[in-house]
Amino acid sequence: MTTPPAPAGPAPVAATPAASPFDLGARLSRTPLPTAIVVFGASGDLSHRKLMPALYNLALQQLLPPELVIVGVALTEWSDDEFRAEMKTAVSEHSRSGPVDEDVWAGFAHRLHYVPGSFDDAAVYRKLDELLKDSDTQHGTRGNRLFYLATAPAFFPVIAENLGAVGLADESDGVYRRLVVEKPFGRDLVSARDLNHRLSRVFRESQVYRIDHYLGKETVQNLLVLRFANLIFEPLWNRRYVDHVQITAAEDLGVEGRGGYYETSGALRDILQNHLFQVMSIIAMEPPARFDSRGVHDEKVKLLRAIPPIRPHDVSTHAVRGQYGPGFIAGEPVPGYRQEEKVDAQSNTETFVALKLFVENWRWAGTPFYLRTGKRLPKRATEIAVQFRSPPHLPFAELPVDAVTPNLLTLRIQPDEGASLKFVAKVPGPSMDLRTVSMDFSYGSSFLKASPEAYERLLLDAMLGDSTLFARWDEVETSWEIVDETLAAWAGTMADFPSYAAGTWGPDAADDLMARDGRRWRRL
Ligand code: BG6
């Protein structure tokens, strides 16, 4: 292990950040055990953009254990020092906390190591094992290991099996060995089951942490707080008062150089089956008795199981797909999906999807949930809109019930995080004129502090052994079951692609999906 000269004295840490009761609470109550984090795919995009900046920011907030090493594994032939230099550039380009703090970086870089090699080469794992044992002696990492699979999915089982072969999945000495698996977890029900089966031959379910980064977003966690730490919403949160729910994840970006991956995925697999189903399950599940891993997962699974899968004969009425053609974003011309790098000129991959789903249980029977996501839509906006019903009767003379707009609660996940409730008020003056007004909560103005990146929270939770904000196997499986037949029905070619111009709100068919029910998508 080549270690740069240690900076004099104890490993440097950040200057104490501005005092905040929240920060203090976080530091006091969350202290991960000494550990080695091994990132497979350390030369890749995720590692550069998300993982290293998140780890560095945890260091900056003094949330990492002092006895820590981070080992990158990838094919690129880097030395430890080259890896450190590369990661420093990544952190300076992508960290949310601005310019790199040289003191904190020196302490952080001291913990970074690199093992070059191929993920299917057994020798790489022997070398890794030696290096980790060495770090137990030199850095006090005490045998704990957190393996992060930031590679192409084909390598997930290969890496797990190789780790198992050198004993790196073995927790028998009172140490922990955890496997963090990035999405996609399979590409349909069969492949997800196969992947799970292969992982489970090496790692127990309690060792596997399936990342869905939406669950690490502060605003998604706040959905739980909004629902279950307030009294006023829950009594109305059901079929009697809610007309329907819309969940939208709109992106103005295209595929941003990820055409190769996206061609194997599409909007349904990339965002809807994972991120939006997670959001929907949090919005619609029953209150867990306790906010712990088992309590939350059990409720989410119960909810997902209550969503009837879309059957082949319902695909045309309950599911819409689209693909963007050339168009304009913020006034600038952008190419169509088929003109993007590494995309087939005849591609049938959907870049937009909308679904209409029901939840067959006492709370929600008959209340539709409309979910949509798409790339190259007019703006980036992720929100949940809970549309309440109209009041049954208006006691104001000559005002019909439809003279008022029913209440609407919108929960904005990003950007401009917050919530607003629309309700009806009287316009000042002699006559009974009514108008819809809005009550707003904004994170920015209420808390005056930036939310941490989702990956910071999730990496910390994985180190702490808290899987509440990760996806359990049965959640993943049930999510695939809901859309499996839609994916199969869409496997053929699509004559009408591209079906929407970049910079518009998706294909007309998405509006028709709502119009058939006498409803409309919200214009965001
Ligand atoms: C990823 C998808 O999981 O989520 C990307 O692969 C998408 O295609 C991204 O752009 C969106 O995440 P966020 O946090 O920007 O909403």
Side-chain angles (χ1 to χ4, degrees), residues 183 213-214 217 251 258 261 270-271 275 375 380 414:
K183 64 177 263 270
H213 80 278
Y214 263 54
K217 289 182 190 279
E251 295 183 284
R258 293 162 76 225
Y261 152 74
D270 186 45
I271 290 196
H275 305 328
K375 296 219 181 265
R380 177 171 187 248
Q414 60 192 21

Coordinates of all heavy atoms in Angstrom, one line a residue, residues 183 213-214 217 251 258 261 270-271 275 375 380 414, ligand 1:
K183 N -28.5 0.8 -9.3 CA -29.4 0.4 -10.3 C -28.7 0.3 -11.7 O -27.7 0.9 -11.8 CB -30.6 1.4 -10.4 CG -30.2 2.8 -10.8 CD -31.4 3.7 -10.9 CE -31.9 3.7 -12.3 NZ -31.3 4.8 -13.1
H213 N -31.4 6.3 -5.4 CA -31.0 7.6 -4.8 C -32.1 8.6 -4.5 O -31.9 9.5 -3.7 CB -29.9 8.3 -5.7 CG -30.4 9.0 -6.9 ND1 -30.7 8.4 -8.0 CD2 -30.6 10.3 -7.1 CE1 -31.1 9.3 -8.9 NE2 -31.1 10.5 -8.3
Y214 N -33.3 8.3 -5.1 CA -34.4 9.2 -4.7 C -34.7 9.1 -3.2 O -35.2 10.0 -2.6 CB -35.7 8.8 -5.5 CG -35.8 9.8 -6.7 CD1 -34.7 9.9 -7.6 CD2 -37.0 10.5 -7.0 CE1 -34.8 10.8 -8.7 CE2 -37.1 11.3 -8.0 CZ -36.0 11.5 -8.9 OH -36.1 12.4 -9.9
K217 N -33.0 11.6 -1.1 CA -33.3 13.0 -1.2 C -34.1 13.5 0.0 O -35.0 12.8 0.5 CB -34.2 13.2 -2.4 CG -33.4 13.1 -3.7 CD -34.3 13.4 -4.9 CE -33.6 13.0 -6.3 NZ -32.7 14.0 -6.7
E251 N -37.5 16.0 -16.9 CA -36.1 16.5 -17.0 C -36.0 17.3 -18.3 O -36.6 16.8 -19.3 CB -35.2 15.3 -17.1 CG -35.1 14.5 -15.8 CD -34.1 13.4 -15.9 OE1 -34.4 12.4 -16.6 OE2 -33.0 13.5 -15.4
R258 N -25.0 9.4 -22.3 CA -25.3 8.0 -21.8 C -26.1 7.2 -22.8 O -26.9 6.3 -22.3 CB -25.9 8.1 -20.5 CG -25.1 8.7 -19.4 CD -26.0 9.2 -18.2 NE -26.5 8.1 -17.4 CZ -27.7 8.0 -17.0 NH1 -28.6 8.9 -17.3 NH2 -28.1 7.0 -16.2
Y261 N -26.0 3.3 -22.5 CA -26.8 2.8 -21.4 C -28.3 2.9 -21.7 O -29.0 2.0 -21.5 CB -26.4 3.5 -20.1 CG -27.5 3.5 -19.1 CD1 -27.9 2.3 -18.4 CD2 -28.3 4.6 -18.8 CE1 -28.9 2.3 -17.5 CE2 -29.3 4.6 -18.0 CZ -29.7 3.5 -17.3 OH -30.7 3.5 -16.4
D270 N -35.5 3.2 -16.4 CA -34.5 4.1 -15.9 C -35.1 4.9 -14.6 O -34.3 5.1 -13.7 CB -34.1 5.1 -17.0 CG -33.0 6.0 -16.5 OD1 -32.0 5.5 -15.9 OD2 -33.0 7.3 -16.8
I271 N -36.3 5.3 -14.7 CA -36.8 6.2 -13.6 C -38.1 5.7 -13.0 O -38.3 5.6 -11.8 CB -37.0 7.6 -14.1 CG1 -35.6 8.2 -14.4 CG2 -37.8 8.5 -13.1 CD1 -35.6 9.7 -14.5
H275 N -37.4 4.9 -9.2 CA -37.6 6.1 -8.4 C -39.1 6.5 -8.2 O -39.5 6.8 -7.1 CB -36.9 7.3 -9.1 CG -35.5 7.1 -9.4 ND1 -34.7 6.4 -8.7 CD2 -34.7 7.6 -10.5 CE1 -33.4 6.4 -9.2 NE2 -33.4 7.1 -10.3
K375 N -37.5 12.7 -20.7 CA -36.4 13.5 -20.9 C -36.7 14.6 -22.0 O -37.6 14.4 -22.8 CB -35.2 12.7 -21.4 CG -34.8 11.7 -20.4 CD -33.3 11.5 -20.3 CE -32.8 10.5 -19.3 NZ -32.4 11.1 -18.0
R380 N -36.9 21.0 -15.6 CA -36.6 20.0 -14.6 C -37.6 20.2 -13.5 O -37.6 21.3 -12.9 CB -35.2 20.1 -14.1 CG -34.9 19.1 -13.0 CD -33.4 19.2 -12.8 NE -33.0 18.1 -11.8 CZ -32.5 18.4 -10.6 NH1 -32.4 19.6 -10.2 NH2 -32.2 17.4 -9.8
Q414 N -38.0 18.6 -6.4 CA -36.8 19.4 -6.9 C -37.3 20.1 -8.2 O -38.2 19.6 -8.8 CB -35.6 18.5 -7.2 CG -36.0 17.4 -8.2 CD -34.9 16.4 -8.3 OE1 -34.1 16.1 -7.5 NE2 -34.9 15.7 -9.5
Ligands
BG6_1 C1 -30.9 8.4 -12.6 C2 -31.2 8.1 -14.1 O1 -31.3 7.3 -11.9 O2 -31.7 9.5 -12.2 C3 -31.0 9.4 -14.9 O3 -30.4 7.1 -14.6 C4 -31.7 10.6 -14.4 O4 -31.4 9.2 -16.3 C5 -31.4 10.7 -12.9 O5 -31.3 11.7 -15.1 C6 -32.3 11.8 -12.3 O6 -31.9 12.0 -11.0 P1 -32.1 13.4 -10.3 O7 -31.5 13.2 -8.9 O8 -31.4 14.4 -11.1 O9 -33.6 13.6 -10.3

